[in-house]
Amino acid sequence: MIKDNLREVEERIQSACERVERNRRDVTLIAVSKTKPISMIEEVMKEGIIDFGENKVQELNQKCEEIKTELNWHLIGHLQRNKVKYIIDKVSLIHSVDSLRLAIQIDEEAKKVNRIVPVLIEVNVAKEETKYGVAVEDTLSLIEEISKLNYIKIKGLMTIAPYVENPEENREHFRNLRKLSVDIKSKNIDNVDMDILSMGMTNDYQVAIEEGATMVRVGTGIFGEREYNKGE
Ligand SMILES: *Cc1c(COP(=O)(O)O)cnc(C)c1O
């Protein structure tokens, strides 16, 4: 089942790339494995995927420790400052930095383990009240502040678009994130890259790729529906 799902996702990624004449190699598929067991992750690994996304610190930690193979672990969910220390030496990219306080915490913990931690700035492009993420108009000044920290490296932007029936409704949000990243890139801020645009989930990754996504985060489309049990 997972194998078939992956094949379908891969085909859709490729056709989205073709529609806008992008190179397939410029889009990284992140398999979002939250709530899913190691056995399923291993099935996905067999198909050659090495990028996995988790939204909880504890779950990322456990899975990272149990799976001996070196993988790229992406923290895609909201990160509390007191939990930064648990993942600092395990994550290959933190997608959800949206405040200077969090960035400072990451910088301090990264210094302790002597590594420079790559991050994305999460932007609330759709202006959703319930969502995390910095407002579009505050993004540049936040990035300017974070760029002064020594053990954190900004690699680009991320957004979580609203859940919509018709993915076309999210096209403008993806387009706006891309525009923002182009604007910021043009400022040539030291220590800041705008190479990564993490946008698009199961429901809308094809539209996101058409609008320039370089990372798509696909959970349900690969692993099937999630079941959230008691205690979640
Ligand atoms: C769960 C999650 C995803 C994947 O969602 P699907 O709709 O299952 O593909 C992507 N990004 C973030 C931040 C998530 O929390």
Short mmCIF file of all heavy atoms in Angstrom, two decimals, residues 30 32-34 52-56 60 74-78 93-96 122 158 160 198 217:
data_model
loop_
_atom_site.label_atom_id
_atom_site.label_comp_id
_atom_site.label_asym_id
_atom_site.label_seq_id
_atom_site.Cartn_x
_atom_site.Cartn_y
_atom_site.Cartn_z
N ILE A 30 9.33 15.31 1.68
CA ILE A 30 9.48 14.93 3.09
C ILE A 30 8.30 14.05 3.46
O ILE A 30 7.14 14.46 3.33
CB ILE A 30 9.51 16.18 4.00
CG1 ILE A 30 10.69 17.08 3.62
CG2 ILE A 30 9.59 15.77 5.47
CD1 ILE A 30 10.71 18.40 4.37
N VAL A 32 5.96 12.73 6.01
CA VAL A 32 5.56 13.14 7.36
C VAL A 32 5.02 11.92 8.11
O VAL A 32 3.92 11.44 7.84
CB VAL A 32 4.52 14.28 7.31
CG1 VAL A 32 4.05 14.64 8.72
CG2 VAL A 32 5.13 15.52 6.64
N SER A 33 5.85 11.43 9.03
CA SER A 33 5.59 10.14 9.67
C SER A 33 4.95 10.25 11.05
O SER A 33 4.85 9.26 11.78
CB SER A 33 6.90 9.35 9.75
OG SER A 33 7.95 10.17 10.24
N LYS A 34 4.52 11.44 11.43
CA LYS A 34 3.93 11.62 12.77
C LYS A 34 2.80 10.62 13.01
O LYS A 34 2.02 10.36 12.09
CB LYS A 34 3.42 13.06 12.94
CG LYS A 34 2.29 13.44 12.02
CD LYS A 34 2.07 14.95 12.04
CE LYS A 34 0.80 15.32 11.30
NZ LYS A 34 0.72 16.75 10.96
N PHE A 52 12.35 12.70 6.62
CA PHE A 52 11.13 12.42 7.39
C PHE A 52 10.78 13.62 8.26
O PHE A 52 11.66 14.27 8.81
CB PHE A 52 11.31 11.15 8.23
CG PHE A 52 11.34 9.90 7.39
CD1 PHE A 52 12.54 9.47 6.83
CD2 PHE A 52 10.18 9.21 7.10
CE1 PHE A 52 12.58 8.33 6.00
CE2 PHE A 52 10.20 8.08 6.28
CZ PHE A 52 11.41 7.64 5.73
N GLY A 53 9.49 13.87 8.37
CA GLY A 53 9.02 15.01 9.16
C GLY A 53 8.22 14.55 10.37
O GLY A 53 7.38 13.65 10.26
N GLU A 54 8.49 15.17 11.50
CA GLU A 54 7.73 14.90 12.73
C GLU A 54 7.32 16.24 13.32
O GLU A 54 8.03 17.24 13.17
CB GLU A 54 8.60 14.14 13.74
CG GLU A 54 8.89 12.69 13.34
CD GLU A 54 7.70 11.76 13.52
OE1 GLU A 54 6.78 12.10 14.31
OE2 GLU A 54 7.68 10.70 12.86
N ASN A 55 6.20 16.26 14.03
CA ASN A 55 5.79 17.54 14.61
C ASN A 55 5.94 17.58 16.12
O ASN A 55 5.66 18.60 16.73
CB ASN A 55 4.37 17.93 14.18
CG ASN A 55 3.33 17.00 14.75
OD1 ASN A 55 3.64 15.88 15.14
ND2 ASN A 55 2.09 17.46 14.80
N LYS A 56 6.39 16.47 16.72
CA LYS A 56 6.58 16.48 18.17
C LYS A 56 8.00 16.06 18.53
O LYS A 56 8.54 15.09 17.98
CB LYS A 56 5.60 15.52 18.83
CG LYS A 56 4.17 16.02 18.72
CD LYS A 56 3.27 15.39 19.75
CE LYS A 56 1.92 16.09 19.74
NZ LYS A 56 0.81 15.15 19.66
N LEU A 60 10.00 12.53 17.58
CA LEU A 60 11.16 12.62 16.71
C LEU A 60 12.37 11.96 17.37
O LEU A 60 13.08 11.16 16.76
CB LEU A 60 11.47 14.09 16.38
CG LEU A 60 12.55 14.37 15.34
CD1 LEU A 60 12.30 15.69 14.62
CD2 LEU A 60 13.95 14.40 15.92
N HIS A 74 13.18 16.21 10.02
CA HIS A 74 12.69 17.58 9.94
C HIS A 74 11.69 17.82 11.06
O HIS A 74 10.72 17.07 11.18
CB HIS A 74 11.98 17.81 8.60
CG HIS A 74 12.88 17.64 7.41
ND1 HIS A 74 13.38 18.71 6.71
CD2 HIS A 74 13.37 16.52 6.80
CE1 HIS A 74 14.13 18.27 5.71
NE2 HIS A 74 14.14 16.94 5.74
N LEU A 75 11.93 18.84 11.86
CA LEU A 75 10.92 19.20 12.85
C LEU A 75 9.99 20.22 12.19
O LEU A 75 10.41 21.32 11.85
CB LEU A 75 11.51 19.78 14.13
CG LEU A 75 10.38 19.98 15.15
CD1 LEU A 75 10.04 18.66 15.84
CD2 LEU A 75 10.69 21.05 16.15
N ILE A 76 8.73 19.80 12.00
CA ILE A 76 7.80 20.66 11.25
C ILE A 76 6.73 21.28 12.13
O ILE A 76 5.99 22.14 11.69
CB ILE A 76 7.14 19.86 10.09
CG1 ILE A 76 6.37 18.65 10.64
CG2 ILE A 76 8.19 19.41 9.08
CD1 ILE A 76 5.62 17.88 9.57
N GLY A 77 6.65 20.84 13.38
CA GLY A 77 5.60 21.36 14.27
C GLY A 77 6.12 22.46 15.16
O GLY A 77 7.33 22.74 15.21
N HIS A 78 5.20 23.08 15.88
CA HIS A 78 5.55 24.14 16.80
C HIS A 78 6.58 23.63 17.83
O HIS A 78 6.45 22.53 18.33
CB HIS A 78 4.29 24.62 17.53
CG HIS A 78 4.57 25.70 18.53
ND1 HIS A 78 5.03 26.95 18.16
CD2 HIS A 78 4.48 25.71 19.87
CE1 HIS A 78 5.19 27.68 19.24
NE2 HIS A 78 4.87 26.97 20.30
N LEU A 93 16.74 19.96 9.96
CA LEU A 93 16.15 21.27 9.65
C LEU A 93 14.95 21.51 10.57
O LEU A 93 14.09 20.64 10.68
CB LEU A 93 15.71 21.30 8.17
CG LEU A 93 15.17 22.61 7.61
CD1 LEU A 93 16.22 23.72 7.63
CD2 LEU A 93 14.66 22.42 6.17
N ILE A 94 14.92 22.67 11.19
CA ILE A 94 13.75 23.07 11.98
C ILE A 94 12.93 24.02 11.11
O ILE A 94 13.41 25.07 10.70
CB ILE A 94 14.18 23.78 13.29
CG1 ILE A 94 15.01 22.84 14.17
CG2 ILE A 94 12.94 24.27 14.06
CD1 ILE A 94 15.61 23.51 15.42
N HIS A 95 11.69 23.62 10.80
CA HIS A 95 10.87 24.39 9.86
C HIS A 95 10.05 25.50 10.53
O HIS A 95 9.37 26.24 9.83
CB HIS A 95 9.87 23.47 9.15
CG HIS A 95 10.47 22.50 8.18
ND1 HIS A 95 10.02 22.36 6.88
CD2 HIS A 95 11.48 21.61 8.31
CE1 HIS A 95 10.72 21.43 6.26
NE2 HIS A 95 11.61 20.94 7.10
N SER A 96 10.05 25.55 11.86
CA SER A 96 8.99 26.29 12.55
C SER A 96 9.49 27.41 13.46
O SER A 96 8.93 27.63 14.52
CB SER A 96 8.16 25.30 13.36
OG SER A 96 9.03 24.44 14.10
N GLU A 122 8.86 30.26 9.87
CA GLU A 122 7.46 29.93 9.56
C GLU A 122 6.64 31.22 9.45
O GLU A 122 6.60 32.02 10.37
CB GLU A 122 6.87 29.02 10.65
CG GLU A 122 5.41 28.67 10.36
CD GLU A 122 4.81 27.69 11.35
OE1 GLU A 122 5.55 27.11 12.18
OE2 GLU A 122 3.58 27.50 11.29
N MET A 158 8.86 28.78 5.46
CA MET A 158 7.90 27.68 5.50
C MET A 158 6.52 28.26 5.78
O MET A 158 6.39 29.28 6.45
CB MET A 158 8.31 26.73 6.62
CG MET A 158 7.38 25.56 6.88
SD MET A 158 6.06 25.91 8.09
CE MET A 158 5.90 24.31 8.86
N ILE A 160 2.25 26.84 6.59
CA ILE A 160 1.19 25.83 6.63
C ILE A 160 -0.06 26.53 6.10
O ILE A 160 -0.58 27.45 6.72
CB ILE A 160 0.94 25.34 8.07
CG1 ILE A 160 2.24 24.77 8.67
CG2 ILE A 160 -0.18 24.29 8.08
CD1 ILE A 160 2.11 24.36 10.13
N SER A 198 9.40 25.67 2.02
CA SER A 198 8.72 24.47 2.49
C SER A 198 7.23 24.76 2.52
O SER A 198 6.73 25.46 3.40
CB SER A 198 9.24 24.11 3.89
OG SER A 198 8.43 23.13 4.50
N ARG A 217 5.67 18.57 2.22
CA ARG A 217 5.54 17.74 3.43
C ARG A 217 4.28 16.89 3.31
O ARG A 217 3.18 17.38 3.49
CB ARG A 217 5.46 18.64 4.66
CG ARG A 217 6.55 19.74 4.73
CD ARG A 217 6.36 20.62 5.94
NE ARG A 217 5.03 21.20 6.01
CZ ARG A 217 4.69 22.42 5.57
NH1 ARG A 217 5.61 23.22 5.05
NH2 ARG A 217 3.45 22.85 5.66
#
